[in-house]
Amino acid sequence: MSDLVIPAPTLPTVPTTTGGRFPVRRIFCVGRNYAAHAREMGHDPDREPPFFFTKPADAIVADGADTPYPSVTQRLEHEVELVAAIGTGGSDLAQEDALGHVWGYAVGLDLTRRDLQAEAKRLGRPWDTAKGFDASAPIGAIAPAAEVDPTSGTVELRVNGDLRQSGDLADQIWSVAETVAELSRFVTLAPGDLVMTGTPEGVGVVRRGDTLDGAITGVGSVRTTIV
């Protein structure tokens, strides 16, 4: 007989291109990792150390599923990103070893309540409610690392077929290897962790009824409709 006082929560999972499912433990996100995006958000794109924020694992929306428009915002915005899925954990990883801890890669959307984020920045408060809300992380199928080059590839986001964001993984200020190694200084990475690696320029507002299509060359795609 279980001694749990409430039913255990279901472990979120993401499909893989191999047919299995990847169990998700935590979601880490790196901010302002493309110079052009840093500029459009009003920040200096010089190579300062990366900073991180989180989303709950159950914020994931399956590829192709609808995403409910969140409450308490008048400005929901899209950010398309490469997602690294950690397969083996560790702390204080060396940069040259970091990619060896990645099981695979996917395309994800970091949906953001931009008005709440702006207010939090103004007041010097955390971004949790702006970034870590329900259904804030649509993610496509994860492709094995051996099939992906995380250093280059076109990154695009279309809304209702219109191109909104376009960049290249080669434009990242911090490479995936550098990001994973730096993150491992602050937390012990574990199998099941996801790392969203930042978005190129062109972030913008989405509304109910909009269909978002994110794609990264050599990685895959993700689609969701805001309802």
Side-chain angles (χ1 to χ4, degrees):
M1 179 181 295
S2 171
D3 60 355
L4 299 177
V5 298
I6 61 171
T10 302
L11 182 69
T13 64
V14 177
T16 69
T17 59
T18 61
R21 299 192 70 87
F22 186 90
V24 178
R25 184 170 183 264
R26 298 175 292 186
I27 303 175
F28 297 97
C29 309
V30 61
R32 297 198 294 267
N33 198 25
Y34 289 76
H37 173 57
R39 291 189 189 98
E40 76 176 349
M41 299 304 293
H43 297 280
D44 186 339
D46 286 347
R47 193 178 160 89
E48 61 183 11
F51 68 94
F52 301 94
F53 56 91
T54 63
K55 292 177 181 281
D58 62 5
I60 289 172
V61 176
D63 182 29
D66 291 341
T67 297
Y69 194 97
S71 61
V72 201
T73 184
Q74 300 300 316
R75 192 174 181 87
L76 180 66
E77 295 196 0
H78 57 73
E79 299 186 10
V80 62
E81 316 204 356
L82 176 70
V83 181
I86 302 299
T88 57
S91 60
D92 293 315
L93 302 179
Q95 181 182 322
E96 57 269 25
D97 299 329
L99 294 187
H101 291 260
V102 177
W103 186 91
Y105 299 93
V107 184
L109 300 177
D110 169 17
L111 297 179
T112 303
R113 289 163 160 161
R114 193 70 73 195
D115 46 358
L116 271 63
Q117 184 188 37
E119 182 68 1
K121 288 179 179 179
R122 186 182 71 83
L123 297 173
R125 293 176 178 174
W127 294 3
D128 297 59
T129 57
K131 289 286 193 177
F133 53 92
D134 296 341
S136 60
I139 294 178
I142 301 173
E147 301 176 3
V148 175
D149 175 6
T151 66
S152 65
T154 302
V155 183
E156 291 186 345
L157 189 283
R158 294 178 183 271
V159 178
N160 302 326
D162 296 330
L163 185 63
R164 290 278 193 88
Q165 289 185 261
S166 182
D168 196 284
L169 296 177
D171 298 333
Q172 290 185 332
I173 298 171
W174 293 86
S175 69
V176 176
E178 290 172 320
T179 296
V180 171
E182 180 71 4
L183 178 58
S184 75
R185 295 179 56 237
F186 296 93
V187 297
T188 299
L189 293 174
D193 288 340
L194 299 180
V195 183
M196 303 186 77
T197 61
T199 195
E201 67 178 317
V203 301
V205 173
V206 291
R207 298 177 175 83
R208 291 174 180 83
D210 286 345
T211 295
L212 284 60
D213 287 289
I216 301 176
T217 303
V219 180
S221 61
V222 63
R223 166 176 274 207
T224 190
T225 297
I226 308 299
V227 298

